[in-house]
Amino acid sequence: MATITTQQQNMNEISKYDNGTTVFAGDNIIDKNKINKYPIVANLGSVFEQIGNGEFSDAFFAVATGAVPTPSSKILSGNVSNDGIVDEFEGPGYVRVDDNQITVIPPAEFVWGYNSPYLQAKIVPDGIDVINNRTNQTVGHIDPKTMDNDTVPGDVVNAETLKYWYNHYGQGSKYTLEYCVAGINDNRTYISPDMLREHFPEAYDYSIKYPTGSPVLVYGNNYTETKVASTYTYLDSHPQYNDANREYNAKQFVKAWNGTIIPANAKGCGRDRIGFSAIPEKDAESGMATHGVCPPARSLRNAVLSLGFALPVGMDSGRDAVLYGFSPSTGIKINNTLKYPIKIQMWTEGSGAGMRIYTNVYELIPNSYIANNTNSTNSTNSTNTTNN
């Protein structure tokens, strides 16, 4: 008995998900009602073939209805069962729809992308429109007079900040309310804020703290945080710049950079919306400077330079480590040239001129790599201490 002879069918008609959509184990990715079906009389051999392949639901359907669906083996491949159920891996896979088959690709060791505006507020003549930046559609409206935290979507900005923005900027100005993660390293499509909240809460909490364009690590599996650099500096005293303000600024710098994760071959900055105390400075073009950020910047700079990184954007190689005109948090950019992502840890101990400012850098190394190799810098658990 001959097996079924099928006609070419557009896989996009069968797939429940668009090409590149993130899926998880247990998700059903095909709509069986849309699969081509053929008379059982001419294709009885295909029923036995389906039984032999374990496609029992398709075989039962054929016997019950007299119509044989296109075999799943001709439609599906990769990490998906004959019934169209994603299986055989953990973490976020994604759907790839080709001309002839629907495939589910498992996640790489690390899945990461970049903060990209998803929902944006836009000032219009009668208030604030909410725009979906992916579709360019207006999806809501906010009345500035009655605006509160319940009417402002997302967790990036509160109502007070949005009111200030509305009152100080002109028509057409935009403000990001929610981020998605786009430009993902394995070429899947963007991950929406709703999916981040549901499946990757840590990545969501990270995303809302960092500016547009920042790399966001969405997923990593079976890795060890291995210390690869460790440095410290002292705040020291410069009373002409107000040591109390300097201490505040130093702690704000630490807050901005502590916990920052930068994937391999990516550039990252510190957190957004971190305030600093400006102090008059005749050498600065603006006439003001955030004195006190240079000691922690030296600690951070020396740590990353010890790993062979280039001098970060916005930094100087001297004692005054932060260049005028660059934000100490979002203006400094560090380029990770290691094999795997890095995580920056910063903290302070003590107070006043003797306050110590510490920086540790950890590389997130897959356990499978550690089992067979040293870490990618050949300096696992190394400690590089400086006192500047």
Side-chain angles (χ1 to χ4, degrees), residues 49-182:
E49 180 181 338
Q50 288 169 337
I51 293 172
N53 291 336
E55 301 172 26
F56 300 115
S57 61
D58 287 347
F60 177 80
F61 178 89
V63 172
T65 64
V68 184
T70 303
S72 297
S73 59
K74 294 183 180 294
I75 296 173
L76 302 169
S77 66
N79 294 267
V80 58
S81 72
N82 290 327
D83 290 327
I85 306 299
V86 178
D87 62 8
E88 298 182 356
F89 68 85
E90 296 181 358
Y94 67 96
V95 175
R96 186 173 69 199
V97 182
D98 294 324
D99 291 339
N100 300 316
Q101 281 191 321
I102 303 169
T103 305
V104 176
I105 310 297
E109 292 172 324
F110 297 99
V111 177
W112 62 274
Y114 295 93
N115 249 1
S116 179
Y118 185 74
L119 290 185
Q120 290 187 302
K122 180 180 179 180
I123 298 177
V124 295
D126 62 341
I128 300 172
D129 278 350
V130 178
I131 310 295
N132 184 318
N133 191 57
R134 306 299 301 188
T135 64
N136 202 32
Q137 294 179 320
T138 300
V139 295
H141 185 80
I142 301 172
D143 184 349
K145 296 179 181 178
T146 59
M147 175 169 48
D148 57 28
N149 289 333
D150 292 333
T151 60
V152 176
D155 300 300
V156 173
V157 61
N158 58 32
E160 182 180 358
T161 300
L162 200 64
K163 285 179 183 178
Y164 180 89
W165 165 77
Y166 175 78
N167 290 325
H168 289 81
Y169 288 80
Q171 296 290 312
S173 297
K174 292 182 178 181
Y175 197 111
T176 297
L177 302 175
E178 280 195 312
Y179 288 112
C180 64
V181 175

Side-chain angles (χ1 to χ4, degrees), residues 115-385:
N115 249 1
S116 179
Y118 185 74
L119 290 185
Q120 290 187 302
K122 180 180 179 180
I123 298 177
V124 295
D126 62 341
I128 300 172
D129 278 350
V130 178
I131 310 295
N132 184 318
N133 191 57
R134 306 299 301 188
T135 64
N136 202 32
Q137 294 179 320
T138 300
V139 295
H141 185 80
I142 301 172
D143 184 349
K145 296 179 181 178
T146 59
M147 175 169 48
D148 57 28
N149 289 333
D150 292 333
T151 60
V152 176
D155 300 300
V156 173
V157 61
N158 58 32
E160 182 180 358
T161 300
L162 200 64
K163 285 179 183 178
Y164 180 89
W165 165 77
Y166 175 78
N167 290 325
H168 289 81
Y169 288 80
Q171 296 290 312
S173 297
K174 292 182 178 181
Y175 197 111
T176 297
L177 302 175
E178 280 195 312
Y179 288 112
C180 64
V181 175
I184 299 175
N185 62 317
D186 59 6
N187 296 315
R188 72 181 71 205
T189 56
Y190 72 92
I191 299 176
S192 71
D194 286 342
M195 180 172 283
L196 286 173
R197 267 190 296 261
E198 180 178 357
H199 294 285
F200 314 102
E202 289 186 7
Y204 177 81
D205 290 342
Y206 186 96
S207 171
I208 63 177
K209 296 173 183 175
Y210 285 78
T212 298
S214 295
V216 177
L217 182 65
V218 175
Y219 172 81
N221 185 38
N222 294 325
Y223 63 83
T224 297
E225 295 185 2
T226 304
K227 189 192 297 183
V228 291
S230 183
T231 65
Y232 68 87
T233 57
Y234 290 101
L235 179 63
D236 293 332
S237 177
H238 296 277
Q240 69 273 29
Y241 296 127
N242 188 325
D243 280 342
N245 278 353
R246 290 181 63 252
E247 182 175 341
Y248 172 80
N249 285 339
K251 289 181 177 179
Q252 289 296 93
F253 185 101
V254 168
K255 180 180 179 181
W257 283 93
N258 183 44
T260 295
I261 297 174
I262 307 175
N265 302 310
K267 293 181 180 179
C269 67
R271 287 172 52 178
D272 201 3
R273 297 177 296 280
I274 298 293
F276 295 89
S277 177
I279 301 169
E281 173 54 66
K282 60 181 178 59
D283 293 331
E285 185 176 342
S286 66
M288 305 293 286
T290 53
H291 287 294
V293 298
C294 287
R298 291 196 299 271
S299 178
L300 176 60
R301 179 196 64 192
N302 294 343
V304 299
L305 290 182
S306 75
L307 297 172
F309 295 0
L311 181 68
V313 172
M315 281 193 173
D316 184 78
S317 58
R319 189 168 180 81
D320 294 333
V322 180
L323 294 172
Y324 290 130
F326 287 83
S327 164
S329 54
T330 59
I332 294 172
K333 302 288 194 304
I334 294 173
N335 185 20
N336 175 16
T337 56
L338 298 186
K339 186 178 179 68
Y340 297 111
I342 62 168
K343 181 177 182 179
I344 296 168
Q345 179 189 45
M346 295 192 74
W347 75 99
T348 65
E349 291 183 2
S351 61
M355 184 175 75
R356 280 194 176 193
I357 306 159
Y358 294 87
T359 301
N360 286 339
V361 179
Y362 296 86
E363 189 176 12
L364 280 52
I365 306 177
N367 293 334
S368 59
Y369 186 90
I370 293 175
N372 298 295
N373 302 274
T374 59
N375 78 308
S376 66
T377 62
N378 293 318
S379 58
T380 305
N381 290 316
S382 65
T383 300
N384 301 291
T385 303

